[in-house]
Amino acid sequence: MSNRPIIITGAAGFIGRNTVAELNRRGEHELILVDELGKNTPGEWEKWSNLVGLHYEDLVSPEEFLGLLEDGAFAEARAVIHLGACSATTERDADYLVRNNYQYTRVLANWAISNDVRLVYASSAATYGDGERGYEDSDEVTPTLRPMNMYGYSKHMLDLWALKNGLFAPEGQVGIVGLKYFNVFGPYEEHKGDMRSVISKSVKQIREEGVVRLFRSYKPEFADGEQKRDFIYVKDAVDVTLHFALEDTETGGLFNCGTGEARTWLDLARATFAALDLEPKIEFIPMPEQLQGKYQYFTEATTDKLRAAGYERPFTKLEVAIDDYVRGFFRT
């Protein structure tokens, strides 16, 4: 393997941790991890534990990392995989989201372009808002999108800035890649608390109470539990990420990272019960008022652009992915 480092921000987070593990599996150990591990709260999943068993060169804080870049460090990096961000769709501090999700990424993008280093950054399906304008990741559609929450808007700001300034295909330089992750689920998301996947929450509910509780629908065209999302296994999301970071380092652009097949919450809940070898017991509860006007009832990635860019591997079927996740990660 090359001695040139690969940098992963948000490395102790959900997608970040799984990315580092996959890089290790591929024999990559010259890794610079960027993250904050936070304070440990008794009884909660401790974020630092996500790094146990992984191999890397160094771990630095996000603030220290920017200082190192200014000092000329890492100019020979092979790639920067920027997954560090506030991913809470309920975050109300808009200024914090602008600083953390937008301005920080701008600094990295400008540095990457100046140093001809590949940058892959995390965008989000939250940029699509209520889906009224579809889920097409074309450059023509992107400026028309209307996110429904500040998290989605902070990601959309960066997508628009990169598009406006030609960073996806700069002349004579390596372009950057933005990945619009849809509903990613899988191992090592426990530290996300209320922002972790419904699968993770459901395992806990089933073991403690024998039931899964889903939100009622407030739109007549969707029955309770029939709301649909594009659920993508984290192993597939990581594979797409590394495809652009290390395999196809010439193609730039904004791409959906989803399966292209929307599935219902009932499908997800039933598959979780099946992975635990239990009969389904599902109840419906009111949706919190603050979510009712900002809830996505349907998401489904268009994958034509991703496939045209050369990514050919199939995505894991929902039931297979949930079975692998639940039986492999929630063993006790």
Side-chain angles (χ1 to χ4, degrees), residues 65-266:
F65 177 58
L66 289 186
L68 290 169
L69 292 185
E70 290 178 3
D71 291 340
F74 310 129
E76 296 300 316
R78 290 168 62 194
V80 177
I81 301 170
H82 180 43
L83 304 171
C86 173
S87 60
T89 58
T90 55
E91 176 59 56
R92 293 178 177 270
D93 189 338
D95 293 324
Y96 166 70
L97 286 169
V98 169
R99 291 192 305 272
N100 195 65
N101 292 3
Y102 169 63
Q103 293 175 342
Y104 194 99
T105 310
R106 274 187 59 152
V107 172
L108 287 189
N110 281 325
W111 176 88
I113 293 293
S114 297
N115 289 275
D116 210 30
V117 175
R118 182 64 151 178
L119 170 70
V120 178
Y121 74 89
S123 183
S124 171
T127 58
Y128 288 112
D130 62 6
E132 180 182 346
R133 294 167 176 82
Y135 296 93
E136 179 67 49
D137 49 3
S138 71
D139 292 346
E140 293 73 28
V141 170
T142 295
T144 73
L145 301 179
R146 299 291 183 270
M148 292 191 297
N149 56 53
M150 185 56 208
Y151 163 71
Y153 185 60
S154 70
K155 293 293 189 178
H156 188 51
M157 288 172 68
L158 197 285
D159 296 343
L160 291 176
W161 172 78
L163 183 60
K164 175 185 175 182
N165 290 278
L167 301 190
F168 294 126
E171 187 173 349
Q173 293 175 302
V174 175
I176 70 174
V177 169
L179 293 178
K180 294 196 174 197
Y181 295 109
F182 277 65
N183 280 63
V184 186
F185 68 91
Y188 299 98
E189 56 176 314
E190 303 308 290
H191 65 281
K192 295 178 66 176
D194 197 48
M195 288 295 109
R196 70 194 193 278
S197 75
V198 170
I199 300 163
S200 173
K201 295 177 184 177
S202 295
V203 170
K204 178 178 173 62
Q205 286 182 358
I206 293 168
R207 286 179 168 173
E208 293 180 354
E209 305 175 56
V211 65
V212 166
R213 297 184 179 88
L214 302 175
F215 287 144
R216 292 191 185 117
S217 172
Y218 292 82
K219 290 187 176 182
E221 61 267 38
F222 292 92
D224 291 341
E226 294 291 337
Q227 306 98 315
K228 289 186 174 183
R229 296 285 181 89
D230 192 328
F231 302 104
I232 178 169
Y233 198 22
V234 69
K235 293 181 181 180
D236 293 332
V238 167
D239 197 66
V240 173
T241 303
L242 295 182
H243 170 78
F244 286 111
L246 301 179
E247 297 167 20
D248 177 3
T249 58
E250 299 299 321
T251 303
L254 193 59
F255 297 93
N256 285 334
C257 188
T259 67
E261 181 183 6
R263 300 292 301 274
T264 70
W265 292 108
L266 285 173

Side-chain angles (χ1 to χ4, degrees), residues 270-299:
R270 289 165 180 156
T272 305
F273 275 104
L276 292 168
D277 297 316
L278 296 170
E279 289 296 317
K281 183 179 180 182
I282 301 167
E283 298 176 356
F284 297 98
I285 60 175
M287 185 184 299
E289 279 189 29
Q290 67 268 26
L291 292 181
Q292 288 183 23
K294 300 181 178 181
Y295 185 80
Q296 291 177 308
Y297 275 75
F298 176 88
T299 68

